[in-house]
Amino acid sequence: MHRHFILHKPYGYLSQFVYQLKRNKKLLGELYDFPSGTMAIGRLDEDSEGLLLLTTDGKVSEQICSKKVDKEYYVQVDGIITEEAIKQLMTGVEIGFEGTKYMTKPCKAFIVNVIPDFGARAKKIRDDRHGPTSWASIIVNEGKFRQIRKMTAAVGFPTLRLVRVRIGNVHLNALKAGEVVEVESFLNFNNNGNNNINEKL
């Protein structure tokens, strides 16, 4: 019987269970007693936070990764982001990827005025003495390496904090950093409509 989990990955953890290099790294297995064979569906960088799906079913992982599902990120940037910058993000911006230039696909983006209470990050964000910050939502259905960070930098607003809040119609909701919820399945996984997974959160 396969098992499925929703996790709020904290800052400073790798999205994996095994790390072969000698440096000490925080791994997902430290957060919960996951069963043998659990794998993360997609990844978040070590310095990114938020929604991560996990499963023991490789077929489910492949199905979700193969779909062009929306992934929504709340991003705190250096400076007060402008509507012009938002329009640039939505149209597509040029970033570096694997040593070449890449134009991101059109996406959805908007300025976020009411910030959810994500809690304090393990590593403190720089304080207001260094200038103002602001938040935006960026929704993409592609996932190049560190794409969101590269996109905000490309329009002049470097990322300070990045939190994934949605994958398809599965939302982070009120899950706290490090909290895990086990769900029955990831059925009806898509970009629209309601999902019974959310009723459990």
Side-chain angles (χ1 to χ4, degrees):
M1 192 72 175
H2 285 294
R3 298 171 67 184
H4 315 282
F5 305 88
I6 295 172
L7 163 68
H8 182 162
K9 188 191 88 67
Y11 175 91
Y13 282 77
L14 297 181
S15 296
Q16 57 198 72
F17 291 89
V18 178
Y19 185 70
Q20 302 290 0
L21 301 181
K22 292 182 179 180
R23 288 182 298 165
N24 289 329
K25 292 289 185 179
K26 294 179 180 178
L27 304 175
L28 299 180
E30 301 172 33
L31 297 171
Y32 188 82
D33 185 19
F34 292 104
S36 176
T38 301
M39 67 195 80
I41 303 175
R43 294 192 174 188
L44 283 172
D45 297 331
E46 183 177 3
D47 50 358
S48 299
E49 310 160 66
L51 183 63
L52 191 64
L53 308 181
L54 303 102
T55 183
T56 59
D57 189 343
K59 290 184 179 179
V60 167
S61 179
E62 288 178 12
Q63 288 170 359
I64 294 176
C65 287
S66 67
K67 293 181 180 179
K68 290 294 185 182
V69 297
D70 286 346
K71 303 173 189 71
E72 181 173 7
Y73 299 85
Y74 274 25
V75 54
Q76 183 182 18
V77 299
D78 188 359
I80 304 300
I81 196 165
T82 63
E83 289 290 353
E84 178 60 32
I86 292 292
K87 289 178 182 178
Q88 287 180 283
L89 292 170
M90 293 174 67
T91 303
V93 295
E94 188 176 83
I95 63 174
F97 177 66
E98 295 184 344
T100 62
K101 294 179 179 179
Y102 174 79
M103 181 64 70
T104 61
K105 296 177 181 178
C107 69
K108 299 175 184 176
F110 56 88
I111 294 172
V112 175
N113 295 312
V114 180
I115 311 306
D117 181 14
F118 294 125
R121 200 178 72 171
K123 182 179 180 182
K124 191 177 185 300
I125 308 287
R126 66 158 179 76
D127 59 38
D128 291 339
R129 291 177 298 177
H130 295 92
T133 68
S134 57
W135 287 80
S137 165
I138 301 176
I139 304 168
V140 299
N141 58 20
E142 55 179 343
K144 304 299 184 186
F145 179 66
R146 298 180 76 81
Q147 177 173 337
I148 301 297
R149 296 176 186 277
K150 291 177 180 178
M151 288 173 66
T152 68
V155 297
F157 294 91
T159 292
L160 299 174
R161 187 177 187 182
L162 183 64
V163 184
R164 186 159 64 195
V165 297
R166 179 172 66 85
I167 302 173
N169 58 8
V170 182
H171 295 257
L172 183 64
N173 289 338
L175 275 184
K176 302 299 182 185
E179 190 174 356
V180 178
V181 171
E182 185 167 1
V183 296
E184 292 181 5
S185 73
F186 294 131
L187 291 177
N188 303 318
F189 189 92
N190 53 48
N191 282 333
N192 301 299
N194 296 319
N195 190 308
N196 58 8
I197 291 174
N198 291 319
E199 298 173 3
K200 299 174 178 291
L201 302 185

